[in-house]
Amino acid sequence: MRLLSYDAGDGARAGLLEEGRVVDAWALLGEPHRAGLRELLEHDRLDDLRARLGDTGAPSHPLSAVQLLPPITDPEKIVCIGLNYAAHAAEGRQEPPESPTLFGKFRNALTPPGGTVTLPAASAKVDYEAEIAFVIGRPAKQVSEEDALDHVAGYMLFNDLSARDLQFATPQWMAGKVFDGSAPSGPWLVTPEEAGAPDALELTLTLNGEQMQHGRADNLIFGIPFLVSHLSKLMTLVPGDIVATGTPEGVGGAREPRVWLQDGDEVVVESPTLGRLETRIAR
């Protein structure tokens, strides 16, 4: 399934994408008084939704007629993994980490598919980072790697926009990671049976039509089952939590000459299975 959050004029609602139409997911389940996608995960209703695939009668809209929102509009946590592709660590002249490098973002960073991000006035060196993110579907605490994928609701694209001058001003990276709009995500959440094996997920990033990054999740230093298990031993993961798994090589800050995002740029993160995430840049 491809799940999304959308607004058709009456606020954020959970949707199911079927043949180019967005079906109201909660109405399909017979509970139209409910609305959000995180709530759908919290109530563990994905299997019920699968059982209703193809049913008619629930309100629906053409995809082109709705405003797409970040798939999870209200996560409790946005956890990001740094230096998780060996080639990306090498291009930054850093040794691959022995344990996952963690930092966070907040809800203010979320940007919808097709959205515009205004570069922060405090930075002159904003970079792109194409990433695959997974979303937690069931609570995870002290989970083994063998059971980890049972707690994943699905996968989506993510762009960890990073203000490098702020990021490296101190040993802690977060100052460069938290500006408004710094986490474009979407366009939808693809459930595991449609996304396929997590280590086969693939993504590319183009900047104004030029390919800058390409990667596959089988090149992750710490794979998705490990990350679920590891994080669940540090904190309880809850439905709707977003975990961005890291970026492959090709970031602008490692190029010669450097490539920083500019007013008018168009950034596209794309995947054969996860869709196309477009973002416009403004100053």
Side-chain angles (χ1 to χ4, degrees), residues 39-274:
E39 188 178 15
L40 194 77
L41 301 179
E42 288 173 338
H43 285 76
D44 200 15
R45 299 301 300 277
L46 292 190
D47 287 341
D48 295 337
L49 198 57
R50 287 187 187 94
R52 298 292 183 92
L53 290 176
D55 287 4
T56 59
S60 69
H61 310 270
L63 179 60
S64 59
V66 304
Q67 177 186 354
L68 289 181
L69 306 173
I72 303 296
T73 60
D74 54 348
E76 180 179 292
K77 295 186 282 293
I78 304 173
V79 182
C80 301
I81 312 298
L83 302 175
N84 201 21
Y85 286 79
H88 174 53
E91 72 177 353
R93 299 178 178 85
Q94 300 187 63
E95 291 296 322
E98 296 182 2
S99 183
T101 300
L102 309 180
F103 59 93
K105 289 181 182 269
F106 305 97
R107 293 184 193 179
N108 68 296
L110 292 172
T111 296
T116 296
V117 174
T118 299
L119 297 173
S123 174
K125 297 180 178 180
V126 177
D127 206 346
Y128 52 81
E129 291 193 11
E131 308 206 10
I132 294 164
F134 61 86
V135 174
I136 294 297
R138 295 189 175 106
K141 184 177 179 65
Q142 300 290 336
V143 170
S144 68
E145 285 189 58
E146 291 74 19
D147 295 333
L149 294 181
D150 293 339
H151 298 265
V152 173
Y155 307 93
M156 65 180 182
L157 297 174
F158 190 94
N159 192 346
D160 173 22
L161 298 177
S162 303
R164 299 299 189 200
D165 40 4
L166 303 179
Q167 177 183 352
F168 296 120
T170 72
Q172 300 294 327
W173 292 357
M174 283 196 41
K177 298 287 191 174
V178 295
F179 64 87
D180 294 347
S182 60
S185 62
W188 31 69
L189 181 67
V190 183
T191 53
E193 76 279 0
E194 182 163 344
D199 60 355
L201 295 172
E202 185 176 354
L203 79 169
T204 59
L205 181 143
T206 60
L207 175 61
N208 301 323
E210 179 183 355
Q211 181 172 305
M212 309 298 277
Q213 291 185 282
H214 174 260
R216 281 175 52 98
D218 59 357
N219 291 317
L220 290 172
I221 297 170
F222 303 106
I224 291 170
F226 178 89
L227 290 175
V228 175
S229 177
H230 178 74
L231 292 172
S232 78
K233 295 169 185 175
L234 303 178
M235 57 188 149
T236 301
L237 300 174
V238 298
D241 282 353
I242 298 168
V243 181
T245 61
T247 197
E249 70 273 20
V251 298
R255 292 176 174 268
E256 292 293 346
R258 304 287 191 255
V259 176
W260 307 122
L261 294 177
Q262 305 292 331
D263 182 52
D265 281 347
E266 295 188 359
V267 186
V268 177
V269 183
E270 195 163 12
S271 165
T273 51
L274 303 183

